[in-house]
Amino acid sequence: ENREESAASVTFVVRFLTLEKTAIVASPAGGGGDAATAAHLPKPRAITTFAEARFVFLLAQKHLDAALTFFKLDGHVTDHVYLMRAISRLYRDLSLFETDEKRRQAMFLRRASALQPLVDQLNPRVYTGLLKMLSFELGEVYLTLLEMKSARIEQKLGESRGREGGRGGAYVPSKAEGEKCDEYCRLAIRAFEGFVPLYQKDSEGGREGGKAIVWDLPSKEDFGPVFRASFHLARLYGRMFVYGGPGESAHKGRVDGNKKSLEAYEWIRNFAAEQLERLWSGEEGGKETY
């Protein structure tokens, strides 16, 4: 009995058809037609339309969802995180073929909904490496959403200014549009602010507390993401309340944001000079990498 129970407890076999075989089965020709004439899964470089990309997306999503039924966060943290990142990147790749801006935004919101719960739940002391990947990627997702929303507003402003004689009235961003941009900006800031300290051995006090920060940046590969995240933060601090209207609170928010942005740029200059000197000392031309 013990042997049978032991064998039953370790016998777990999962088989997935290859994507190409699944494509044959899923295609109209695969439903009983000649397999030789079945529509095969297109190679990546051959995909040129949204329909082709969506077909691959749905197949991959099906397999990932099946894997997630077993690799749950409780008990399979690393596998679960990598599967959720794969889902996020599926939406990223599909968005490259989408021409409708609202649908592209929806895809990036799906990416955020896949990553944000992981960042909120994982213990930074235990899963530092995973959180580094997730936080940076999440910050880029929110930054992209901010860029898309801002670009749409700027397009409307440009069209309004371009009307002959200003007929039809000047366009003014709505309160909802401004608040949505600020929301994406805050979320991007929170993600990148969560990312940078993961490379600090001693972050107590931080920049404002006066206590020196001890960085854990043993290589150039570690410095690059921290530098880019810090640069993103400097830009994002100055983008709060850009479309917040003429009110006093919005004006104060813009002034405070620009002050914080300037301080961040000044900090980056010193930080970059120190790390570049340490990591690229003795190398010619290496400091232009970042």
Side-chain angles (χ1 to χ4, degrees):
E1 293 181 0
N2 292 337
R3 290 181 180 178
E4 291 179 358
E5 289 178 3
S6 177
S9 65
V10 298
T11 302
F12 182 84
V13 179
V14 178
R15 286 187 177 180
F16 290 125
L17 290 172
T18 65
L19 285 177
E20 188 168 350
K21 289 182 179 178
T22 308
I24 296 174
V25 174
S27 67
D34 184 4
T37 61
H40 289 266
L41 190 71
K43 301 299 181 183
R45 293 184 179 180
I47 298 175
T48 58
T49 67
F50 179 81
E52 292 171 337
R54 182 175 181 272
F55 181 61
V56 177
F57 169 87
L58 291 175
L59 287 172
Q61 185 184 49
K62 177 182 177 182
H63 289 309
L64 288 169
D65 287 343
L68 282 170
T69 62
F70 176 78
F71 294 106
K72 299 183 181 297
L73 185 61
D74 183 14
H76 300 278
V77 176
T78 302
D79 296 305
H80 184 87
V81 166
Y82 277 98
L83 288 170
M84 294 305 292
R85 285 189 75 216
I87 289 175
S88 169
R89 295 188 174 197
L90 270 183
Y91 281 104
R92 178 199 65 185
D93 295 341
L94 183 63
S95 72
L96 298 174
F97 298 89
E98 180 56 74
T99 57
D100 184 86
E101 197 66 17
K102 288 186 177 180
R103 289 173 62 88
R104 288 190 73 241
Q105 288 183 24
M107 291 176 189
F108 275 83
L109 287 172
R110 290 288 187 91
R111 293 191 65 193
S113 66
L115 301 177
Q116 185 69 68
L118 299 174
V119 173
D120 294 339
Q121 294 178 60
L122 294 183
N123 186 333
R125 293 181 180 274
V126 180
Y127 299 106
T128 306
L130 293 178
L131 278 171
K132 285 177 180 178
M133 294 187 298
L134 293 169
S135 298
F136 192 91
E137 189 169 336
L138 185 61
E140 289 189 319
V141 169
Y142 286 129
L143 179 58
T144 302
L145 284 166
L146 172 62
E147 297 287 3
M148 285 192 286
K149 194 70 176 177
S150 299
R152 179 57 180 156
I153 293 175
E154 290 297 330
Q155 181 184 357
K156 292 179 181 179
L157 288 169
E159 291 172 352
S160 176
R161 298 188 193 103
R163 293 194 187 100
E164 184 178 352
R167 283 182 238 169
Y171 165 74
V172 177
S174 68
K175 181 180 178 181
E177 287 176 312
E179 289 177 345
K180 184 59 67 175
C181 285
D182 291 342
E183 178 188 355
Y184 292 147
C185 193
R186 285 193 192 94
L187 290 169
I189 288 172
R190 188 175 74 172
F192 287 124
E193 283 185 340
F195 170 79
V196 174
L198 294 172
Y199 288 87
Q200 297 172 0
K201 294 180 181 178
D202 184 359
S203 59
E204 185 179 347
R207 301 176 200 170
E208 299 175 1
K211 187 171 182 178
I213 296 173
V214 180
W215 291 96
D216 184 18
L217 299 171
S219 69
K220 302 169 187 177
E221 289 70 25
D222 296 303
F223 167 74
V226 174
F227 176 79
R228 287 193 291 273
S230 299
F231 191 81
H232 286 323
L233 282 170
R235 291 179 59 239
L236 287 163
Y237 290 144
R239 297 187 65 174
M240 287 295 301
F241 304 106
V242 171
Y243 306 108
E248 183 177 343
S249 61
H251 175 71
K252 184 179 184 303
R254 286 191 289 271
V255 172
D256 291 343
N258 282 318
K259 287 181 178 178
K260 193 170 184 179
S261 177
L262 177 59
E263 291 173 358
Y265 278 122
E266 290 175 342
W267 178 87
I268 289 173
R269 181 183 59 188
N270 297 328
F271 167 72
E274 175 186 336
Q275 298 301 323
L276 288 173
E277 183 64 29
R278 180 177 67 85
L279 294 168
W280 276 271
S281 179
E283 293 186 18
E284 292 294 332
K287 294 182 182 180
E288 284 73 25
T289 304
Y290 297 102

